[in-house]
Amino acid sequence: MRAVGLAALGAVLAAAAVGTYWLATDVERFMQTPMNVPAGGYPLLVKRGESLSAVADRLATDAVLTHPRYLAGFARWHERDRRIQAGEYLVPHRATPARLLEMMERGEIVRHRVRLIEGWSWRRALAEIQSHPLVRSTIEIPADFTRQLDLPTRNPEGWFLPATYEFRRGSTDVVLLEMAHRAMVEHLDTAWAERSPELPYRNPYEALILASIVEKEAAVADERPRIAGVFVRRLKRGMRLEADPTVIYGLGETFDGNLTRKDLRQDTPYNTYRRAGLPPTPIALPGAAALHAALHPAGGDALFFVASEHGRHVFSATLAEHRRAVDIWQRGRRSGKSP
């Protein structure tokens, strides 16, 4: 009887071993077999605190995964189930469960993008960020803006580097602006440390101000250093900058798109026709190229420039030359005569 009992036990253990081996083999095969993912990929949102079992069940409900318990059990057995990261994933076509688990462990989430353009105002940049459907808007009044971002100045203008920023679904407007602000601070610090000698700026912020003016004046990339050179020479000589974009900025919402002589006479802190030196703040978001131009202005003797054609300018060293250029390019254009 004892021999029969031992034989029966041996048979049970052998069957269990075979079953375990078969299950392990089946799970391994499952982990390496492509899932039923559509050609365009499968969007998967893993919520914060959600278990892998719950994620696997949703995949099974959507007919992407055939054996949800296999995935959850495999991850638990290998102590990988608690490593998955919350976020939005795009599971690629023919991805295996093993690849999916790897993606969730590494946090290979979908990164959305928003682009801030050179020359935009901070208000335009904020509007662009808040208009993105996957960004949570938390800034409602301007007073919150500088307080929430801990900016070095009360006016936020110019403090955000124009670039393309990646973010995850549900990020706030503050998070994105903090990214752009950190990028500007880092870029400005580096650029300031590498600046040309004998510039008329007392600190990096003044360089940022001039860079914003260069950004608004220059429509052609290769003219940025030349325009910066004109403004730098005027500052050194104590001449007023006489930059139209600063006047327009000072006019604010009252500007109707047509800059008049009356506008040029209106006294605001930003009217560089009436006030010497730099305006009190930047007038736009300057890009890296404009900042480089402000800190590495082109040499020469030009003190004036006037718009000509195709976004370019005519540069002059004397007032007489400048007046002739104005007659040719501005007064002639207003009269309908081509230069």
Side-chain angles (χ1 to χ4, degrees):
M1 293 293 293
R2 184 178 180 183
V4 173
L6 289 175
L9 176 61
V12 170
L13 292 176
V18 170
T20 300
Y21 174 78
W22 177 86
L23 179 62
T25 302
D26 200 42
V27 170
E28 185 62 35
R29 185 185 304 113
F30 160 79
M31 292 297 293
Q32 301 303 325
T33 301
M35 297 180 293
N36 186 29
V37 179
Y42 173 82
L44 173 64
L45 182 61
V46 178
K47 302 173 185 176
R48 190 174 301 278
E50 188 174 22
S51 69
L52 182 56
S53 293
V55 173
D57 286 342
R58 282 197 285 116
L59 289 167
T61 299
D62 290 346
V64 173
L65 198 65
T66 54
H67 298 293
R69 293 293 173 265
Y70 278 12
L71 175 60
F74 178 90
R76 188 162 49 249
W77 177 261
H78 292 280
E79 298 182 346
R80 297 170 64 183
D81 56 319
R82 295 186 178 181
R83 299 179 192 172
I84 66 169
Q85 300 182 41
E88 181 185 4
Y89 297 86
L90 182 62
V91 185
H93 180 54
R94 295 194 60 77
T96 65
R99 174 65 184 126
L100 172 62
L101 183 58
E102 181 182 64
M103 288 176 64
M104 292 189 291
E105 282 184 298
R106 293 182 177 180
E108 298 177 17
I109 60 174
V110 174
R111 293 285 181 175
H112 301 281
R113 293 176 176 85
V114 65
R115 184 184 179 194
L116 307 185
I117 305 297
E118 294 88 344
W120 277 0
S121 69
W122 71 265
R123 293 180 184 277
R124 177 69 180 85
L126 176 60
E128 180 71 12
I129 289 170
Q130 292 184 330
S131 70
H132 197 291
L134 300 180
V135 172
R136 288 194 296 115
S137 297
T138 62
I139 299 172
E140 297 180 358
I141 57 175
D144 286 338
F145 196 84
T146 53
R147 184 168 61 251
Q148 287 179 260
L149 294 175
D150 192 27
L151 296 176
T153 58
R154 293 185 65 182
N155 189 318
E157 196 67 83
W159 275 119
F160 309 101
L161 185 68
T164 299
Y165 295 94
E166 294 186 342
F167 65 95
R168 63 171 63 197
R169 174 191 289 265
S171 295
T172 66
D173 45 12
V174 171
V175 167
L176 280 162
L177 288 169
E178 285 175 340
M179 291 168 58
H181 175 56
R182 283 196 302 271
M184 177 58 85
V185 170
E186 292 171 4
H187 191 86
L188 180 59
D189 287 347
T190 300
W192 179 257
E194 299 171 351
R195 68 190 183 278
S196 297
E198 300 181 2
L199 294 174
Y201 318 125
R202 293 172 297 180
N203 51 55
Y205 187 59
E206 291 192 347
L208 187 67
I209 293 173
L210 189 70
S212 73
I213 302 174
V214 171
E215 189 67 77
K216 296 299 288 185
E217 288 279 15
V220 180
D222 62 19
E223 286 194 348
R224 288 192 184 102
R226 296 186 70 187
I227 290 173
V230 169
F231 288 137
V232 164
R233 283 185 288 275
R234 293 179 76 94
L235 286 172
K236 285 183 175 181
R237 297 188 183 199
M239 299 173 65
R240 294 175 183 174
L241 295 183
E242 298 184 349
D244 292 356
T246 65
V247 178
I248 294 170
Y249 187 84
L251 293 173
E253 295 182 0
T254 65
F255 180 62
D256 63 3
N258 180 36
L259 192 63
T260 65
R261 290 185 179 275
K262 180 181 178 181
D263 294 330
L264 297 180
R265 291 193 296 268
Q266 185 171 331
D267 187 34
T268 75
Y270 293 88
N271 190 336
T272 53
Y273 281 85
R274 297 188 59 115
R275 301 198 182 194
L278 293 165
T281 73
I283 62 170
L285 307 186
L291 190 56
H292 184 272
L295 291 167
H296 299 274
D301 56 1
L303 292 170
F304 309 89
F305 59 85
V306 63
S308 56
E309 59 183 349
H310 306 305
R312 305 195 72 87
H313 295 83
V314 173
F315 295 82
S316 305
T318 68
L319 183 57
E321 292 175 356
H322 177 61
R323 285 174 173 168
R324 284 196 293 271
V326 170
D327 283 339
I328 293 172
W329 291 104
Q330 287 197 351
R331 292 171 188 161
R333 187 181 294 117
R334 283 197 295 268
S335 67
K337 297 177 181 178
S338 134

